[in-house]
Amino acid sequence: MFAIGDFARHGRVSVRMLRHYDAIGLLAPARVDPATGYRFYTAAQLARLNRIIAVKDLGFTLQQVRAILDEEVGAEELRGMLRLRKAELEEAMAAAAGRLAQVEARLRSIESEGHMPADDIVLKSVPPVRVAELTGTAASYGPQDIGPVIQPLYEELCRRLAAAGVTPAGPGIAYYEDSPDGEGTIVVHAGLTVTGDPGDGHGFAVVDLPAIDSAATTVHRGSLQGVMPTAQTLARWIDTNGYRSAGYARELYLECPEDVDAWVTELQEPVTPA
């Protein structure tokens, strides 16, 4: 038999953790000295300890680990638990990838801070444009909230346009506005340039976006998950050059290849002299 310290060393866990496993009924010692209270374990118990560690490393709680090891969970329920855990890990990986893209974009912004040439931001007029659009609601202006809303909107819009026999006549245009319900949510407008009037009954709206007399514009290259540094650079330019925002900005999708890191998007912010 092994004393608790030796067993912990062989199992690559702490003595404190073994005491906790004993307290919750996950791994009891083979024998406890009634006089001293010392715990002793057998070599055969290393197999259960290894299974505890392996299942715990999948992200299950200790209560779930105990139910799995004691076969209190049926095969179908276990498959469901594993599928759920897989989905959680995939979601966490996607969120981490998005944060990584934002960190990389922030690093690029910091490295070029104060050195961006003025001609990267162009003040120009934007002509009126007709778009077919669908709308949705996002929790905030943050890319992490906009992205999951706008992508399905564009997929559904393309499907409905095809069903109506309408071919987009130009790039996609997205814009956002505060929700009128006053709850702090955002109305997301996903539009595609069209000409003519396809009529009603196709499940999308046709909207004529007005001209913008004066817009501060800049080009963002890469995924829109990393657009915030570009948008903030544009905002600083507006402020330092004596302008103020005069309405909701638009995103003009100039190039949208399958690789989102190769996207080219023009940000168009309506401005007026401050």
Side-chain angles (χ1 to χ4, degrees):
M1 281 192 164
F2 298 103
I4 189 171
D6 293 332
F7 188 74
R9 187 174 67 257
H10 287 297
R12 301 294 191 271
V13 296
S14 67
V15 169
R16 181 186 60 82
M17 187 59 67
L18 286 176
R19 289 176 177 149
H20 181 58
Y21 289 168
D22 181 20
I24 65 174
L26 187 55
L27 179 62
R31 185 174 71 86
V32 178
D33 189 303
T36 63
Y38 290 165
R39 296 171 171 86
F40 295 91
Y41 297 81
T42 66
Q45 288 181 290
L46 283 171
R48 181 175 176 89
L49 178 59
N50 288 340
R51 291 187 67 199
I52 291 171
I53 295 171
V55 178
K56 180 173 173 286
D57 283 348
L58 294 177
F60 291 112
T61 67
L62 291 179
Q63 289 73 21
Q64 291 172 323
V65 171
R66 183 177 62 184
I68 292 170
L69 266 59
D70 292 345
E71 298 183 351
E72 297 173 3
V73 175
E76 187 57 37
E77 185 178 355
L78 179 57
R79 280 193 290 270
M81 292 170 65
L82 288 170
R83 291 191 191 102
L84 177 60
R85 184 57 186 154
K86 178 175 179 288
E88 291 172 346
L89 290 171
E90 289 172 343
E91 182 178 352
M93 289 172 63
R99 286 194 294 271
L100 178 60
Q102 291 176 16
V103 169
E104 291 174 341
R106 175 62 64 186
L107 282 172
R108 289 194 298 270
S109 176
I110 291 173
E111 288 166 356
S112 63
E113 186 73 30
H115 300 287
M116 176 175 283
D119 58 2
D120 273 359
I121 295 176
V122 178
L123 199 63
K124 64 183 182 182
S125 61
V126 176
V129 60
R130 173 169 290 183
V131 297
E133 70 170 36
L134 293 177
T135 60
T137 303
S140 76
Y141 284 103
Q144 72 280 3
D145 291 323
I146 296 291
V149 175
I150 198 167
Q151 182 176 350
L153 285 177
Y154 269 114
E155 292 173 355
E156 180 62 18
L157 178 60
C158 289
R159 188 191 68 79
R160 294 186 186 185
L161 286 174
V166 177
T167 301
I173 300 176
Y175 60 103
Y176 316 101
E177 58 184 345
D178 298 323
S179 176
D181 61 16
E183 296 297 323
T185 55
I186 306 304
V187 179
V188 178
H189 297 259
L192 284 168
T193 305
V194 296
T195 58
D197 186 356
D200 298 328
H202 300 299
F204 53 80
V206 176
V207 178
D208 289 316
L209 299 181
I212 302 175
D213 293 333
S214 182
T217 66
T218 189
V219 173
H220 172 75
R221 301 180 185 276
S223 168
L224 289 176
Q225 288 296 319
V227 76
M228 290 305 296
T230 305
Q232 289 166 3
T233 297
L234 181 61
R236 286 195 297 270
W237 185 94
I238 292 171
D239 182 60
T240 57
N241 284 273
Y243 293 93
R244 61 179 175 83
S245 177
Y248 295 106
R250 299 176 189 173
E251 295 172 358
L252 180 67
Y253 303 124
L254 300 174
E255 297 179 17
C256 300
E258 191 169 323
D259 180 6
V260 295
D261 290 330
W263 279 27
V264 179
T265 307
E266 183 178 75
L267 307 184
Q268 304 172 338
E269 178 92 9
V271 294
T272 189

